[in-house]
Amino acid sequence: MDRSLQVVMMYILTHLGLIFFLYPANIIESTDQGHWIPISLGIIIHIAFVLLYLKGLSFFPGRNIITIYSSFGKVYLILFLLPVFLYFISAAIIIVRAYSEILTIIFLANTPLWALMALLLFIPLFLSIQGVQAIFRTGILVSFLFLPFLLFVLIVSFQNVDVSYLYPIWNNDFSFITKQSYINSFFAISGGFLFLGFVQPEISFQRKKIVIAFAAVIPAFILSVYIPLLTFGKATAETFVFPFVLALDTIALSWIMFDRATVFFLLSLITFIMLFITLVLWKASIIIHHSFPSIKTGYIVAALTIVIYIACLLIPNWQQVQMLFKWNSVLRFYVLFTVPLSICFLGHLSKKKVY
Amino acid sequence: MNSLIKEIKDSIGENDDLLFTEQQLKDLSVVLFGLNSLIDLGPTIKQLEQLGQKNYSNKEKQKQISQLGEIKRNAGEITSLLLDGKLMIAPSPNADFVVSVDPVPVKLNRAIDQITNENTMLGPFVSFNEDSLTNIGVMRKHVVSEKIRVKHFLTGTHNKKELSLIYYEGIVEENLLQTVLKDIKRNSINDLHSIQDVTKMLGITPYSIVPRVKTTEMPSEAAQSLLNGKVILFLDGLPFALILPSVFADMFFLESDKNLTYPLMVSLRSLRIAGTLIALIFPGLYVALVAVNPEVLRLELALSIAQSREGVPYPAFIEIIIMLVVLELIMEASVRLPKSIGPTITMVGGIILGQAAVEAQLVSNLLVIVLAATTIANSTVVGVQNLLSIRLLKYIVLIFSSVFGVLGILAGVFFICAYLAGVSSLGVPYLNFKQSKGDGSHG
């Protein structure tokens, strides 16, 4: 049956989770003015590759990329799927580690990191064992519960905005492309959409409806950068590790019993991140399951979780996390470019064979 | 010696309510036997006497008797019919057949009553009772259609019970129906006493926090379920319909809501959803805000909460656990106790919870408010089983939030969502967002 809504929701939720924490600082750091230029470049790349990916997938109705690659031989499997797998594992490690650090910094100063990392892994473990359909159903339920919050907070976040910070609009300096911080910003751009190729045949969706998801994700990209920029100005915003979080902290709503109502916003984003980790675990587990069909997916997920947890424990500090971001960018770009392109290419190839 | 009747006598054993008598029905002399705890003998014999008027020859006599009911020759079958309350007539003590007759039964069922446990403001007040045949009749009154199909199954080896299945031909989800039919036929030797037995028979795990089978004593609810493509089971002796499968929406949506206008219905249902959320979140929120993340609150509020907790000698988590346990005990006690003592518990509980505990500074004022709100909100959920699920699930949120604060609340809610999303029974997911039939038919 058509589960486009579930797929669209999952797409939106995971991207929202990825965007609001690290992306703003990366973009703000990458250039001095005209931040919309790097943002739109990122968005364009994102949309282009998602569409390419979807186009490629449309040549193989009802199949996921694992079966597509394996039908073309082992070489493709190793060339494309192995990096994807490694990317997933490294992304999971980085996300769990980074987000638990974020949580201690902005919110839970007294909770030990290992406990937070355990939480960020335990719930995804529990969910990913239940299978892909459960993951997507959770997405729907969670979006019903938490998205209204998000919408509300995004609206009130304009409270302290000063439009004059928009200027100067144009910037002739395109050096941001080579900056590490801009490259890091692709974490939010490239990480979330690969699941579209994994969910079939269990969950089928219409390609056109993914475009709806763009409509929600694109404003998120823009707002996440421009709300802190317009609140603090570039010079101040640049000094923060989490500019968006701080911008939300400036909101004062006298009619709510909470002083930091925005905390709920941030924490619901954390649940979206859990959803993202779940997806990553599940994707990694079915890749392994494809190679070793005799092992139950439950055991694979559990083993992966333990590996990721140990790896997270081994990372001592934030600098190391930044380092990992850097190392991970090679894999990130490889996956971002090769997977959609190769799927599209293979699609054309198989189409020619038919005729 | 080894006559049919002797065999039956042996298999039934030494039961003093086994009636075995030779009876003269006017000119016709017969042997009657049956269980007199199930048969009202006097009127039955009177009814039979009207039949035996004439002088019969032996052959005619046999013929006449056999016309009274069905001829049975198998001892096992006869035994189960006896247990079912049938009267057996044999022409002589060593005849090789008996005739099973429907006697005047002893009244063992209560009349169709008002609903007792599930209240409704607008809607029919008729409820199901313990007799499944009556229940089916009630259902037929509610859904008048030639498409209704009723199937009876005799289940159990030691304890024979009748299980009835009702569905609406053409609307029912075919997969669901086939699975249920297959499971019932395969496991028909299972003894059924409770809903747990029924779920085991259907291959549904009994280790589930949320109900896998929706129970209702309201025929209107059951009727609507039929029209939504579900199947209904009636187990003899259980005064409610078992609706398969149970879905998330059953927690909030009541059929009788549709007797209200649309805006009222929507707001009523949203109220129930909000109630569930409050019941789940409030205890956790209290612990999170008091113990882990007080900075989330406004300063004035945080101070007043801290003030109300002044002198409370243990952490917020212990405080709330103690009070919650007391509260659960009160709720359970008020169900158990006879109606005449019930109010005492309510009063004692009210005084202890509301006044004494606070004045003795064992718990804070705010906690009492939180607990009251939780309990009230919890009760807005539809159905007793769902109420219990929510009551249990709130502890998950509570434990998470005592460790992780506000994050724990959201993580707990997420965890519950994940749990619910993973539940599916008979191939239908618990979080089935499309209520009507057709799930799975789009390929």
Side-chain angles (χ1 to χ4, degrees), chain B residues 22 67 75 77 103 105 140 148 191 289 317 335 429:
Chain B
E22 288 191 38
Q67 277 171 354
E77 192 184 357
R140 283 217 182 264
I148 293 286
D191 285 334
L289 293 182
F317 179 68
V335 175

mmCIF file with all atom_site columns, all heavy atoms in Angstrom, chain B residues 22 67 75 77 103 105 140 148 191 289 317 335 429:
data_model
loop_
_atom_site.group_PDB
_atom_site.id
_atom_site.type_symbol
_atom_site.label_atom_id
_atom_site.label_alt_id
_atom_site.label_comp_id
_atom_site.label_asym_id
_atom_site.label_entity_id
_atom_site.label_seq_id
_atom_site.pdbx_PDB_ins_code
_atom_site.Cartn_x
_atom_site.Cartn_y
_atom_site.Cartn_z
_atom_site.occupancy
_atom_site.B_iso_or_equiv
_atom_site.pdbx_formal_charge
_atom_site.auth_seq_id
_atom_site.auth_comp_id
_atom_site.auth_asym_id
_atom_site.auth_atom_id
_atom_site.pdbx_PDB_model_num
ATOM 1   N N   . GLU B 1 22  ? -37.549 -43.611 34.728 1.00 0.00 ? 22  GLU B N   1
ATOM 2   C CA  . GLU B 1 22  ? -38.519 -44.139 33.755 1.00 0.00 ? 22  GLU B CA  1
ATOM 3   C C   . GLU B 1 22  ? -39.813 -43.382 33.929 1.00 0.00 ? 22  GLU B C   1
ATOM 4   O O   . GLU B 1 22  ? -40.258 -43.159 35.048 1.00 0.00 ? 22  GLU B O   1
ATOM 5   C CB  . GLU B 1 22  ? -38.743 -45.629 33.982 1.00 0.00 ? 22  GLU B CB  1
ATOM 6   C CG  . GLU B 1 22  ? -37.546 -46.432 33.541 1.00 0.00 ? 22  GLU B CG  1
ATOM 7   C CD  . GLU B 1 22  ? -37.827 -47.918 33.491 1.00 0.00 ? 22  GLU B CD  1
ATOM 8   O OE1 . GLU B 1 22  ? -38.949 -48.294 33.086 1.00 0.00 ? 22  GLU B OE1 1
ATOM 9   O OE2 . GLU B 1 22  ? -36.933 -48.682 33.862 1.00 0.00 ? 22  GLU B OE2 1
ATOM 10  N N   . GLN B 1 67  ? -39.415 -39.023 16.578 1.00 0.00 ? 67  GLN B N   1
ATOM 11  C CA  . GLN B 1 67  ? -39.852 -37.762 15.973 1.00 0.00 ? 67  GLN B CA  1
ATOM 12  C C   . GLN B 1 67  ? -39.722 -36.576 16.920 1.00 0.00 ? 67  GLN B C   1
ATOM 13  O O   . GLN B 1 67  ? -39.799 -35.427 16.501 1.00 0.00 ? 67  GLN B O   1
ATOM 14  C CB  . GLN B 1 67  ? -41.319 -37.898 15.543 1.00 0.00 ? 67  GLN B CB  1
ATOM 15  C CG  . GLN B 1 67  ? -41.448 -38.570 14.191 1.00 0.00 ? 67  GLN B CG  1
ATOM 16  C CD  . GLN B 1 67  ? -42.879 -38.900 13.874 1.00 0.00 ? 67  GLN B CD  1
ATOM 17  O OE1 . GLN B 1 67  ? -43.761 -38.735 14.704 1.00 0.00 ? 67  GLN B OE1 1
ATOM 18  N NE2 . GLN B 1 67  ? -43.108 -39.401 12.672 1.00 0.00 ? 67  GLN B NE2 1
ATOM 19  N N   . ALA B 1 75  ? -22.020 -42.333 22.215 1.00 0.00 ? 75  ALA B N   1
ATOM 20  C CA  . ALA B 1 75  ? -22.033 -42.010 23.644 1.00 0.00 ? 75  ALA B CA  1
ATOM 21  C C   . ALA B 1 75  ? -21.337 -40.675 23.937 1.00 0.00 ? 75  ALA B C   1
ATOM 22  O O   . ALA B 1 75  ? -21.820 -39.882 24.745 1.00 0.00 ? 75  ALA B O   1
ATOM 23  C CB  . ALA B 1 75  ? -21.359 -43.124 24.432 1.00 0.00 ? 75  ALA B CB  1
ATOM 24  N N   . GLU B 1 77  ? -20.924 -38.048 22.038 1.00 0.00 ? 77  GLU B N   1
ATOM 25  C CA  . GLU B 1 77  ? -21.735 -36.920 21.584 1.00 0.00 ? 77  GLU B CA  1
ATOM 26  C C   . GLU B 1 77  ? -22.896 -36.686 22.545 1.00 0.00 ? 77  GLU B C   1
ATOM 27  O O   . GLU B 1 77  ? -23.219 -35.552 22.904 1.00 0.00 ? 77  GLU B O   1
ATOM 28  C CB  . GLU B 1 77  ? -22.256 -37.239 20.184 1.00 0.00 ? 77  GLU B CB  1
ATOM 29  C CG  . GLU B 1 77  ? -22.856 -36.058 19.485 1.00 0.00 ? 77  GLU B CG  1
ATOM 30  C CD  . GLU B 1 77  ? -23.436 -36.464 18.131 1.00 0.00 ? 77  GLU B CD  1
ATOM 31  O OE1 . GLU B 1 77  ? -23.297 -37.652 17.740 1.00 0.00 ? 77  GLU B OE1 1
ATOM 32  O OE2 . GLU B 1 77  ? -24.020 -35.604 17.495 1.00 0.00 ? 77  GLU B OE2 1
ATOM 33  N N   . PRO B 1 103 ? -35.335 -29.342 26.208 1.00 0.00 ? 103 PRO B N   1
ATOM 34  C CA  . PRO B 1 103 ? -36.280 -29.273 27.308 1.00 0.00 ? 103 PRO B CA  1
ATOM 35  C C   . PRO B 1 103 ? -36.572 -27.828 27.682 1.00 0.00 ? 103 PRO B C   1
ATOM 36  O O   . PRO B 1 103 ? -36.048 -26.906 27.052 1.00 0.00 ? 103 PRO B O   1
ATOM 37  C CB  . PRO B 1 103 ? -35.531 -29.952 28.443 1.00 0.00 ? 103 PRO B CB  1
ATOM 38  C CG  . PRO B 1 103 ? -34.108 -29.574 28.168 1.00 0.00 ? 103 PRO B CG  1
ATOM 39  C CD  . PRO B 1 103 ? -33.950 -29.431 26.684 1.00 0.00 ? 103 PRO B CD  1
ATOM 40  N N   . PRO B 1 105 ? -35.509 -25.128 29.852 1.00 0.00 ? 105 PRO B N   1
ATOM 41  C CA  . PRO B 1 105 ? -34.281 -24.994 30.630 1.00 0.00 ? 105 PRO B CA  1
ATOM 42  C C   . PRO B 1 105 ? -34.517 -24.266 31.951 1.00 0.00 ? 105 PRO B C   1
ATOM 43  O O   . PRO B 1 105 ? -35.492 -23.530 32.092 1.00 0.00 ? 105 PRO B O   1
ATOM 44  C CB  . PRO B 1 105 ? -33.392 -24.173 29.715 1.00 0.00 ? 105 PRO B CB  1
ATOM 45  C CG  . PRO B 1 105 ? -34.327 -23.371 28.907 1.00 0.00 ? 105 PRO B CG  1
ATOM 46  C CD  . PRO B 1 105 ? -35.596 -24.154 28.778 1.00 0.00 ? 105 PRO B CD  1
ATOM 47  N N   . ARG B 1 140 ? -27.804 -9.013  16.171 1.00 0.00 ? 140 ARG B N   1
ATOM 48  C CA  . ARG B 1 140 ? -28.657 -9.023  14.978 1.00 0.00 ? 140 ARG B CA  1
ATOM 49  C C   . ARG B 1 140 ? -29.676 -7.896  15.013 1.00 0.00 ? 140 ARG B C   1
ATOM 50  O O   . ARG B 1 140 ? -30.104 -7.404  13.980 1.00 0.00 ? 140 ARG B O   1
ATOM 51  C CB  . ARG B 1 140 ? -29.367 -10.377 14.867 1.00 0.00 ? 140 ARG B CB  1
ATOM 52  C CG  . ARG B 1 140 ? -28.462 -11.476 14.345 1.00 0.00 ? 140 ARG B CG  1
ATOM 53  C CD  . ARG B 1 140 ? -29.241 -12.409 13.448 1.00 0.00 ? 140 ARG B CD  1
ATOM 54  N NE  . ARG B 1 140 ? -28.445 -13.516 12.961 1.00 0.00 ? 140 ARG B NE  1
ATOM 55  C CZ  . ARG B 1 140 ? -27.850 -13.507 11.770 1.00 0.00 ? 140 ARG B CZ  1
ATOM 56  N NH1 . ARG B 1 140 ? -27.967 -12.460 10.977 1.00 0.00 ? 140 ARG B NH1 1
ATOM 57  N NH2 . ARG B 1 140 ? -27.147 -14.546 11.383 1.00 0.00 ? 140 ARG B NH2 1
ATOM 58  N N   . ILE B 1 148 ? -24.689 -10.482 7.534  1.00 0.00 ? 148 ILE B N   1
ATOM 59  C CA  . ILE B 1 148 ? -24.060 -10.898 8.794  1.00 0.00 ? 148 ILE B CA  1
ATOM 60  C C   . ILE B 1 148 ? -23.905 -12.415 8.792  1.00 0.00 ? 148 ILE B C   1
ATOM 61  O O   . ILE B 1 148 ? -24.834 -13.135 8.472  1.00 0.00 ? 148 ILE B O   1
ATOM 62  C CB  . ILE B 1 148 ? -24.951 -10.477 9.983  1.00 0.00 ? 148 ILE B CB  1
ATOM 63  C CG1 . ILE B 1 148 ? -24.999 -8.973  10.099 1.00 0.00 ? 148 ILE B CG1 1
ATOM 64  C CG2 . ILE B 1 148 ? -24.454 -11.089 11.274 1.00 0.00 ? 148 ILE B CG2 1
ATOM 65  C CD1 . ILE B 1 148 ? -23.756 -8.371  10.637 1.00 0.00 ? 148 ILE B CD1 1
ATOM 66  N N   . ASP B 1 191 ? -8.903  -25.376 25.966 1.00 0.00 ? 191 ASP B N   1
ATOM 67  C CA  . ASP B 1 191 ? -9.975  -24.977 26.876 1.00 0.00 ? 191 ASP B CA  1
ATOM 68  C C   . ASP B 1 191 ? -9.978  -23.465 26.995 1.00 0.00 ? 191 ASP B C   1
ATOM 69  O O   . ASP B 1 191 ? -8.934  -22.853 27.234 1.00 0.00 ? 191 ASP B O   1
ATOM 70  C CB  . ASP B 1 191 ? -9.729  -25.587 28.261 1.00 0.00 ? 191 ASP B CB  1
ATOM 71  C CG  . ASP B 1 191 ? -10.063 -27.061 28.261 1.00 0.00 ? 191 ASP B CG  1
ATOM 72  O OD1 . ASP B 1 191 ? -10.889 -27.457 27.430 1.00 0.00 ? 191 ASP B OD1 1
ATOM 73  O OD2 . ASP B 1 191 ? -9.500  -27.796 29.076 1.00 0.00 ? 191 ASP B OD2 1
ATOM 74  N N   . LEU B 1 289 ? 10.845  18.387  36.664 1.00 0.00 ? 289 LEU B N   1
ATOM 75  C CA  . LEU B 1 289 ? 10.952  19.811  36.976 1.00 0.00 ? 289 LEU B CA  1
ATOM 76  C C   . LEU B 1 289 ? 11.427  20.037  38.407 1.00 0.00 ? 289 LEU B C   1
ATOM 77  O O   . LEU B 1 289 ? 12.121  21.013  38.695 1.00 0.00 ? 289 LEU B O   1
ATOM 78  C CB  . LEU B 1 289 ? 9.604   20.505  36.767 1.00 0.00 ? 289 LEU B CB  1
ATOM 79  C CG  . LEU B 1 289 ? 9.148   20.557  35.320 1.00 0.00 ? 289 LEU B CG  1
ATOM 80  C CD1 . LEU B 1 289 ? 7.840   21.299  35.201 1.00 0.00 ? 289 LEU B CD1 1
ATOM 81  C CD2 . LEU B 1 289 ? 10.192  21.213  34.442 1.00 0.00 ? 289 LEU B CD2 1
ATOM 82  N N   . PHE B 1 317 ? 11.412  11.557  43.295 1.00 0.00 ? 317 PHE B N   1
ATOM 83  C CA  . PHE B 1 317 ? 11.046  10.285  42.668 1.00 0.00 ? 317 PHE B CA  1
ATOM 84  C C   . PHE B 1 317 ? 10.420  9.338   43.700 1.00 0.00 ? 317 PHE B C   1
ATOM 85  O O   . PHE B 1 317 ? 9.365   8.758   43.466 1.00 0.00 ? 317 PHE B O   1
ATOM 86  C CB  . PHE B 1 317 ? 12.286  9.643   42.042 1.00 0.00 ? 317 PHE B CB  1
ATOM 87  C CG  . PHE B 1 317 ? 12.008  8.329   41.395 1.00 0.00 ? 317 PHE B CG  1
ATOM 88  C CD1 . PHE B 1 317 ? 11.220  8.255   40.249 1.00 0.00 ? 317 PHE B CD1 1
ATOM 89  C CD2 . PHE B 1 317 ? 12.528  7.152   41.908 1.00 0.00 ? 317 PHE B CD2 1
ATOM 90  C CE1 . PHE B 1 317 ? 10.958  7.043   39.655 1.00 0.00 ? 317 PHE B CE1 1
ATOM 91  C CE2 . PHE B 1 317 ? 12.267  5.939   41.312 1.00 0.00 ? 317 PHE B CE2 1
ATOM 92  C CZ  . PHE B 1 317 ? 11.488  5.881   40.173 1.00 0.00 ? 317 PHE B CZ  1
ATOM 93  N N   . VAL B 1 335 ? -12.308 -1.279  43.693 1.00 0.00 ? 335 VAL B N   1
ATOM 94  C CA  . VAL B 1 335 ? -12.930 -2.244  42.779 1.00 0.00 ? 335 VAL B CA  1
ATOM 95  C C   . VAL B 1 335 ? -13.274 -3.515  43.540 1.00 0.00 ? 335 VAL B C   1
ATOM 96  O O   . VAL B 1 335 ? -14.346 -4.086  43.378 1.00 0.00 ? 335 VAL B O   1
ATOM 97  C CB  . VAL B 1 335 ? -11.972 -2.570  41.614 1.00 0.00 ? 335 VAL B CB  1
ATOM 98  C CG1 . VAL B 1 335 ? -12.563 -3.651  40.741 1.00 0.00 ? 335 VAL B CG1 1
ATOM 99  C CG2 . VAL B 1 335 ? -11.685 -1.336  40.798 1.00 0.00 ? 335 VAL B CG2 1
ATOM 100 N N   . PRO B 1 429 ? -1.597  -3.804  12.225 1.00 0.00 ? 429 PRO B N   1
ATOM 101 C CA  . PRO B 1 429 ? -0.817  -3.026  13.192 1.00 0.00 ? 429 PRO B CA  1
ATOM 102 C C   . PRO B 1 429 ? -1.721  -2.287  14.172 1.00 0.00 ? 429 PRO B C   1
ATOM 103 O O   . PRO B 1 429 ? -2.827  -1.877  13.815 1.00 0.00 ? 429 PRO B O   1
ATOM 104 C CB  . PRO B 1 429 ? -0.026  -2.056  12.323 1.00 0.00 ? 429 PRO B CB  1
ATOM 105 C CG  . PRO B 1 429 ? -0.732  -2.008  11.037 1.00 0.00 ? 429 PRO B CG  1
ATOM 106 C CD  . PRO B 1 429 ? -1.426  -3.311  10.865 1.00 0.00 ? 429 PRO B CD  1
#
